[in-house]
Structure formats: structure tokens, C-alpha cells
Amino acid sequence: MVQKAKILLVDDRPENLLALEAILSALDQTLVRASSGEEALKALLTDDFAVILLDVQMPGMDGFETAAHIKRRERTRDIPIIFLTAINHGPHHTFRGYAAGAVDYISKPFDPWVLRAKVSVFVELYMKNCKLREQAALLRLQLDGDGHAGGDSEKEPAGLLAELSARLAAVEEQAEALSKQLDDESADAAAVATAAHLERKLTGLRRALDALEPGTGGAAGVLPAQS
């Protein structure tokens, strides 16, 4: 069973949270509510999220301040943030949203189809990253086990590498299709940049796998850094 991605919805008005849930329910992911910036930060302490939808105007800690705290944390700084606001004070207000670390800034009322499409892109990128980390962890575990084994186990690493190579090829194909889709749809620059980052990580893992093939002289256990 494929684990669902979590999407954090932050708004102090219950009716707005209900509307967001209605719009995003078609994505069939896990939607998590937070009614304040403080509550959002608590949720981010324990769970991983694919994307955050963050209301700007909230009592107490507003969206800009909440985003600043999110970006300062090592664990959460790379989570995409989409700002939602019912007010528009012009380019300066929008610039403040991007300066706070948002990947997008949407004024209410917004088109539900557009919002759902934007969120779906980040969910798909998140799932690709999760799959990549799982493949890398599997390879590390197997290599560690082979390091303590001997005799007839010499044939096992080759079979594992072939299996991982095939799985990685499938992820590479999906990442390439996603990048083409983003180009065709003239997607946000942030989404395109995230897809490019994913492709660079895939390239690094492919090089590591190739280096582990017999006869290449590669050192087992050497993997690209996961940033």
C-alpha cells in the first residue's frame, strides 16, 4: 500500500478549512488542520508534510511570521508553502510573501481547480523524493549486510543492484515525464526548480549504482548525499 502524503492546512476560520478540505479531498491524501500558526508549528514537530497551505491574516502569529519559523527549522525549511490571502495590497505585499519563503501566493477567492492542480504537483514531487530515499536506504542496508557475509552470498549483491537499477529506472522515467508535464503546463518556477532538484538527486544515485557494478572499481557504501 502506498503511503499517503500529508498536506497541512492553516487558517483561523473553520469555514475556510472546510472549504480547503472539500477542494483537496479529490487528491486522496491526508489533510491535517491547524487553526493558528502555533498549532501549525506543533504539527510540524512530529509529521512530515508534502506542502503547506498557509493563511496570511491570522490573529497572534500571522502567516508571514509562521513561515519564518518554518524556514528557520532544519526539519521543515524545504517544505513548499502556498500563501492564501483575502487581501491584496499590491506588489509589495506579494513580494513579502515570496520573501518569507512561499512558492506561491494566491488571493481569495481562488479557482479551486488551479489550487488543486498546484498542490498535486508538490504532492507528486514529495512522493518521488520518498521513493528515492527508500531505494537509497534499501541499498545501504543490503551493502551493510553483505559486508559481514561471505561464501555463497557473493552472488546476492549483483542481483540486488540489478533490482535497484530497474526500480530506479522506473522512478527516472516518472521524473522525466513530470518535468515534461511541468514544461508543457508552464508551471510555477518553484515547482520546476523542485523537479530539477529531484532529477539531480536521481542522477547522483544512478552514478553511485553504476560505480558499484563489478569491474567498475567503485567503492561499496558510497552514496550521493541526500540534501
Side-chain angles (χ1 to χ4, degrees):
M1 180 179 297
V2 178
Q3 186 174 3
K4 295 182 179 181
K6 292 183 178 180
I7 302 170
L8 182 58
L9 313 177
V10 189
D11 199 304
D12 63 297
R13 300 174 66 89
E15 62 270 26
N16 290 343
L17 290 171
L18 187 62
L20 288 174
E21 288 176 338
I23 292 171
L24 300 176
S25 61
L27 298 179
D28 193 27
Q29 304 300 325
T30 302
L31 306 177
V32 178
R33 283 189 175 200
S35 59
S36 67
E38 292 85 356
E39 190 174 333
L41 294 177
K42 288 181 182 179
L44 288 163
L45 288 174
T46 55
D47 291 325
D48 294 323
F49 292 91
V51 60
I52 302 170
L53 274 62
L54 181 57
D55 183 38
V56 172
Q57 296 296 117
M58 294 188 295
M61 184 184 296
D62 66 12
F64 295 130
E65 188 178 354
T66 303
H69 283 289
I70 293 172
K71 293 303 178 182
R72 279 197 293 265
R73 293 179 178 177
E74 177 74 21
R75 175 188 173 93
T76 59
R77 65 184 183 186
D78 292 327
I79 302 177
I81 298 174
I82 298 178
F83 270 134
L84 303 176
T85 179
I87 61 175
N88 187 358
H89 293 311
H92 177 74
H93 196 73
T94 303
F95 175 77
R96 186 182 176 192
Y98 287 114
V103 297
D104 210 339
Y105 192 95
I106 303 177
S107 297
K108 304 173 185 176
F110 46 77
D111 186 330
W113 293 94
V114 172
L115 179 63
R116 186 161 52 240
K118 289 176 182 290
V119 171
S120 68
V121 169
F122 291 110
V123 168
E124 190 167 356
L125 289 173
Y126 174 82
M127 301 299 283
K128 295 289 191 300
N129 272 302
C130 288
K131 184 177 293 186
L132 179 59
R133 286 194 295 268
E134 290 172 0
Q135 300 290 354
L138 176 61
L139 179 58
R140 288 193 186 97
L141 286 173
Q142 185 63 40
L143 289 174
D144 288 343
D146 291 337
H148 299 287
D152 295 337
S153 65
E154 293 180 358
K155 295 182 180 180
E156 295 179 3
L160 173 70
L161 289 175
E163 179 182 354
L164 285 177
S165 181
R167 292 184 182 181
L168 180 58
V171 178
E172 288 171 332
E173 183 178 351
Q174 292 175 343
E176 182 180 357
L178 177 60
S179 294
K180 290 181 179 178
Q181 179 183 353
L182 290 175
D183 291 339
D184 293 341
E185 296 178 355
S186 300
D188 297 331
V192 174
T194 304
H197 177 64
L198 173 61
E199 287 191 331
R200 287 194 296 272
K201 293 170 72 174
L202 287 170
T203 300
L205 184 55
R206 170 60 67 187
R207 289 174 179 170
L209 285 175
D210 291 343
L212 292 172
E213 289 291 340
T216 61
V222 178
L223 282 173
Q226 298 298 312
S227 57

